[in-house]
């Protein structure tokens, strides 16, 4: 199975309206709720791709109960650890006139030392049956900033490949623990390295400890720098829609390619096609299957052999 970790899980709420009017009254035409947070989005896409997937992290309060009820309707196995605080909500407001999305994210519950210890016990048990693990997203209050470094080292000790998808100081510290793959976006990569040139920044991030770095470039696709070479993959056309969760679908593509032992160009093609197909879907953690099948063979992959 594939294990995903979402320490700051969320109940994702998507509002759709004909036009967003700041400073005025807005009437919502459609509301959807999904189990969210980056790792849960990844888990749902992996399950849609046919991989047995287990999701762990924290959930608490009425929002956490609603999240778990929604998760029970998916093919993802729930191994979330209860907390006394209330799981956060994230709200995406989609302006259908412009296609723009406004995102509002709550901070999440404070995690106590006892709750953290309970999670660590669950995590170590789950590693025993995992083929790979994804460590994803922001940290809730009360969780140590070096948590992803700790979880990466535990997975590596258990012989389980690690994909790290976070930002800021947790990313910097996590890289030092040598994850198998780091997946920042272009802005996160620039903040980490100080370079706005993606290829140079990805090489720098790899020197900081990651065995490979795959950087999301938004509508321009994805760049990967590995020990065997570097490649950039781009969709054949720009896709209009809601980009929320597109990066999480890319993580699912990369992780599924890792456990299936696909060559890097095929992993990138899958990640880019899934990401673009998610833009066409109504909510994060989902992708438009027809768009994915149509785009997958048309993703353009460019080789940069001198950049590894």
């Amino acid at each position: 199975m594939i294990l995903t970790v979402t320490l700051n899980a969320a109940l994702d709420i998507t509002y759709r309206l004909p036009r967003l009017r700041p400073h005025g009254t807005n009437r919502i035409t459609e509301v959807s709720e999904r189990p969210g947070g980056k790792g849960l989005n990844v888990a749902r896409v992996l399950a849609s791709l046919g991989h047995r997937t287990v999701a762990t992290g924290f959930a608490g309060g009425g929002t956490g109960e609603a999240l778990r009820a929604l998760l029970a309707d998916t093919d993802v196995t729930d191994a979330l650890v209860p907390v006394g605080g209330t799981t956060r909500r994230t709200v995406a407001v989609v302006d259908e006139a412009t296609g723009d999305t406004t995102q509002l994210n709550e901070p999440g519950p404070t995690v106590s030392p006892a709750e953290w210890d309970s999670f660590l016990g669950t995590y170590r048990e789950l590693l025993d049956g995992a083929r790979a693990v994804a460590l994803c997203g922001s940290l809730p209050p009360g969780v140590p900033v070096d948590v992803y470094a700790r979880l990466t080292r535990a997975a590596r000790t258990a012989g389980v490949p690690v994909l790290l998808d976070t930002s800021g100081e947790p990313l910097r510290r996590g890289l030092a623990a040598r994850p198998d793959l780091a997946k920042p976006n272009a802005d996160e990569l620039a903040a980490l390295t100080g370079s706005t040139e993606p290829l140079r920044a990805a090489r720098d991030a790899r020197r900081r400890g990651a065995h490979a770095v795959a950087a999301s470039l938004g509508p321009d696709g994805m760049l990967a720098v590995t020990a065997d070479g570097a490649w950039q993959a781009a969709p054949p056309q720009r896709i209009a829609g809601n980009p929320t969760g597109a990066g999480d679908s890319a993580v699912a593509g990369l992780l599924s390619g890792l456990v299936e032992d696909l060559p890097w160009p095929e992993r990138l093609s899958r990640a880019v096609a899934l990401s673009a197909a998610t833009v066409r879907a109504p909510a994060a953690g989902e992708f438009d299957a027809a768009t994915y099948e149509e785009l997958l063979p048309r993703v353009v992959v460019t080789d940069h052999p001198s950049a590894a």
Side-chain angles (χ1 to χ4, degrees), residues 1-6 38-55 71 74-77 130-136 161 163 245 247-260 262 270-271 274 278 284-287 292:
M1 61 88 170
I2 298 176
L3 175 64
T4 71
V5 174
T6 313
K38 293 180 72 65
L40 287 176
N41 292 337
V42 172
R44 289 165 55 214
V45 174
L46 284 168
S48 295
L49 293 172
H51 288 275
R52 189 167 74 87
T53 309
V54 176
L71 192 61
T74 74
D75 293 326
V76 176
T77 299
R131 298 177 63 195
V133 57
L135 308 175
C136 301
L163 186 154
D248 304 331
S249 291
V251 168
L254 293 169
L255 201 58
S256 61
L258 185 156
V259 299
E260 294 172 30
L262 295 180
R270 179 180 292 182
L274 280 171
T278 297
E286 301 175 2
F287 62 93
Y292 171 62

Side-chain angles (χ1 to χ4, degrees), residues 17-18 34 67-68 77 99 106 145 161 164 166 236 239 246 256 276 297 303:
L17 69 170
R34 301 289 189 277
L67 182 155
R68 299 185 85 160
T77 299
E106 296 179 355
V145 72
L164 177 62
T166 188
I239 304 296
S256 61
D303 188 3

